[in-house]
Amino acid sequence: MIPFVFNNLDSIPNSVYIIGKEAFRNCTKLSKVYLGTDMASIGADAFNYCSKLSIVVCMATTPPSINSNTFDNTNASFKVYVPDESIEMYILYNVIHYLVHIGWVQC
């Protein structure tokens, strides 16, 4: 779990597998985030009010669990990138469905 908040983040190391509740809330300078291969869970409001967030890259082949409000109040057009071989699993776990359903783009 990430124990504190960063304002300028490029990547979260593979050794981090849980992002806690409100971990990056109000990080208005955060524009992109790279989630490592072992990411398992992203807490409630973790990226809430990250208004400049434009790219989320998740390298985990198994989708992390996310709450319905994990990405609330962010840039509504940000893109989510996942491994090609895992797209079906992300859809099955409703991660991509959730992101697409509320207007975010999955590439």
Side-chain angles (χ1 to χ4, degrees):
M1 182 179 293
I2 297 174
F4 51 88
V5 175
F6 297 94
N7 280 328
N8 293 308
L9 177 71
D10 284 326
S11 65
I12 297 175
N14 288 336
S15 59
V16 175
Y17 57 95
I18 296 173
I19 296 176
K21 178 180 178 180
E22 300 181 356
F24 298 98
R25 184 182 172 125
N26 292 315
C27 287
T28 57
K29 294 181 182 180
L30 184 66
S31 63
K32 60 185 177 255
V33 64
Y34 298 90
L35 307 174
T37 56
D38 295 329
M39 185 56 59
S41 177
I42 305 172
D45 297 318
F47 294 96
N48 201 342
Y49 293 103
C50 294
S51 57
K52 292 186 181 175
L53 188 62
S54 60
I55 297 173
V56 175
V57 177
C58 186
M59 297 308 297
T61 54
T62 300
S65 64
I66 63 171
N67 290 301
S68 62
N69 58 350
T70 297
F71 293 99
D72 280 359
N73 303 300
T74 59
N75 180 347
S77 64
F78 81 80
K79 295 181 179 357
V80 177
Y81 296 89
V82 301
D84 287 341
E85 67 273 11
S86 301
I87 290 174
E88 288 183 28
M89 189 175 290
Y90 275 76
I91 293 169
L92 178 68
Y93 279 68
N94 285 324
V95 173
I96 296 300
H97 171 76
Y98 165 71
L99 295 175
V100 171
H101 175 71
I102 59 174
W104 296 339
V105 179
Q106 179 268 327
C107 293

